[in-house]
Amino acid sequence: TELRAGDIVPIRAAWTSTGRFLLSQERDGGTLWDASTWQALHTWSNQVWLAATVDPGESLLGSVSELGEIKIWDLHSGRLLQMFQDRIGWTEPRALSIAKECLRFSPDGRWLISAASGNLVKIWDWRSTHWPHRVLANHTNTVNSISFNFDGTRAVTASAGANTLVWNLVTGKNELTLEDKQGAYWPELSFAAFSADGHKILTGGTWGEGGWAPDLWNAANGKRLMRFKFPPGVATSGGVRVAMDHHGGRFVIFSNNGPGALWDFDSQKAVTSLRTGDAAKLRCVSFCADSSAFIAADSNGTVFVFDSTRGSLKQTIPTGTSRLLTAELNPLGNRVLSASEEGRISLWNVAKG
């Protein structure tokens, strides 16, 4: 099923948490789609969004513009509920995974957290008129990733320069700093997230001497539990892709040129090795919400769907584009949503490919 073709260039497209809706983000706004009928429910036009996010309750939409305008919308009516100014300082849209990660609602929908100019992270109580609620100011470089723990009392933020900070959101204090110099280079971190139980933190980045190896950390004391190594000959200097399931049992790590592995959190051992077929650069890696499957999508426009229990390849989906921007599984793992630079937003049946 193709939702839109050619007229508007999407930045990304994503499922909401329950899979009832789809949100496509374009350079001049966005569209909310009904996932059962594939009909557009509401369109926000003339809105230059660098990032957009839907709250877990699927009632609110948060957006941020290149001018630093943060807006809160009613997801279903499209009505503007609140607007406040935060000079984010982005001069151009960031890489899609980074833009998505730099604006997040807390699990209860009360707080909106954003990466701001001056290497700051700001927490907003969007119902209040006293803004911002807190400013988290210990980063030394641009923040690339924001993630909450399961109850929204802690957050982990990662930045360029191998700087990962863990915050107590009740007090606003920086509880832990996860920092490690690798060889002669400081890698640029682009991923940091809590495990489902909040006991561990997984970080990943883009480059370093001989490539960047992801790390697993103890979320209570900040000690590194292990560093993941790739076999000789596997290219990691261009970056690695990291994703964890939503139940806290498994996570995947892919190298820049395709090879990867499925890992078990408890044993900290590889379950199986993974291949995506060729050396095309990977665009995105992610699990579906029920953690039954995960995907890896490459720059040739091919989406590989894997079973998360054994790591076996379930399906290969050629999307027909060499300019794939993003791909994502629905919560049940039986549909793939993809967006391309040609303006195509498509839905694919995993069983049929």
Side-chain angles (χ1 to χ4, degrees):
T1 303
E2 196 161 276
L3 301 181
R4 172 175 287 159
D7 56 339
I8 295 178
V9 178
I11 293 178
R12 67 181 305 273
W15 302 89
T16 58
S17 58
T18 65
R20 293 173 56 208
F21 308 104
L22 314 171
L23 179 67
S24 60
Q25 181 186 336
E26 295 108 21
R27 299 199 187 281
D28 67 342
T31 304
L32 181 72
W33 306 82
D34 186 309
S36 60
T37 64
W38 318 125
Q39 298 298 310
L41 300 176
H42 190 81
T43 297
W44 292 265
S45 57
N46 300 316
Q47 302 289 329
V48 182
W49 291 353
L50 294 186
T53 185
V54 176
D55 77 315
E58 298 184 343
S59 62
L60 302 172
L61 170 69
S63 66
V64 61
S65 76
E66 60 187 357
L67 299 177
E69 291 179 340
I70 295 179
K71 296 181 179 180
I72 308 295
W73 310 82
D74 183 289
L75 183 64
H76 304 288
S77 69
R79 183 169 60 94
L80 180 64
L81 301 176
Q82 193 63 270
M83 180 176 69
F84 38 92
Q85 186 72 39
D86 179 23
R87 295 289 179 183
I88 297 289
W90 297 341
T91 57
E92 60 183 6
R94 290 181 166 273
L96 306 179
S97 59
I98 295 176
K100 176 187 176 184
E101 301 300 332
C102 283
L103 191 70
R104 284 286 186 92
F105 280 102
S106 61
D108 62 3
R110 178 183 178 185
W111 311 105
L112 186 71
I113 189 168
S114 67
S117 59
N119 311 320
L120 303 176
V121 175
K122 295 183 181 180
I123 302 172
W124 309 85
D125 181 351
W126 67 270
R127 294 179 178 87
S128 170
T129 57
H130 302 286
W131 301 313
H133 175 70
R134 292 195 188 281
V135 177
L136 313 180
N138 287 10
H139 273 288
T140 57
N141 282 287
T142 303
V143 176
N144 292 330
S145 176
I146 300 168
S147 179
F148 288 95
N149 70 338
F150 65 93
D151 64 1
T153 58
R154 303 178 86 196
V156 58
T157 55
S159 72
N163 196 219
T164 305
L165 305 180
V166 181
W167 304 89
N168 183 315
L169 298 183
V170 178
T171 65
K173 292 183 178 180
N174 176 201
E175 292 185 330
L176 297 171
T177 298
L178 314 179
E179 192 170 36
D180 185 29
K181 189 175 182 180
Q182 196 174 76
Y185 300 90
W186 289 98
E188 179 171 335
L189 291 171
S190 56
F191 177 91
F194 286 96
S195 59
D197 60 9
H199 295 162
K200 300 180 181 72
I201 295 171
L202 185 64
T203 61
T206 54
W207 60 267
E209 186 177 13
W212 170 244
D215 289 316
L216 188 66
W217 308 82
N218 185 313
N221 57 27
K223 291 183 178 180
R224 189 172 65 191
L225 298 173
M226 71 177 297
R227 167 161 290 169
F228 301 93
K229 298 293 186 181
F230 284 99
V234 175
T236 60
S237 56
V240 298
R241 297 291 181 178
V242 183
M244 65 171 68
D245 74 17
H246 300 275
H247 295 160
R250 300 285 171 88
F251 58 97
V252 293
I253 302 172
F254 278 95
S255 64
N256 184 48
N257 64 343
L262 175 67
W263 293 81
D264 180 79
F265 258 119
D266 292 333
S267 67
Q268 297 173 29
K269 293 181 179 180
V271 176
T272 185
S273 59
L274 305 166
R275 294 288 304 189
T276 57
D278 57 32
K281 185 175 180 180
L282 291 180
R283 288 286 191 184
C284 51
V285 176
S286 64
F287 281 85
C288 61
D290 72 359
S291 301
S292 62
F294 60 92
I295 62 169
D298 68 22
S299 56
N300 288 337
T302 305
V303 179
F304 302 89
V305 185
F306 295 89
D307 172 81
S308 61
T309 302
R310 299 181 180 86
S312 56
L313 182 63
K314 296 175 60 175
Q315 188 62 269
T316 300
I317 301 174
T319 63
T321 178
S322 60
R323 302 168 68 185
L324 186 70
L325 289 172
T326 184
E328 188 173 302
L329 279 166
N330 72 336
L332 296 178
N334 56 13
R335 296 287 188 275
V336 171
L337 177 66
S338 67
S340 72
E341 291 183 17
E342 297 98 336
R344 294 170 56 190
I345 301 173
S346 305
L347 289 161
W348 307 88
N349 186 306
V350 170
K352 296 178 181 180

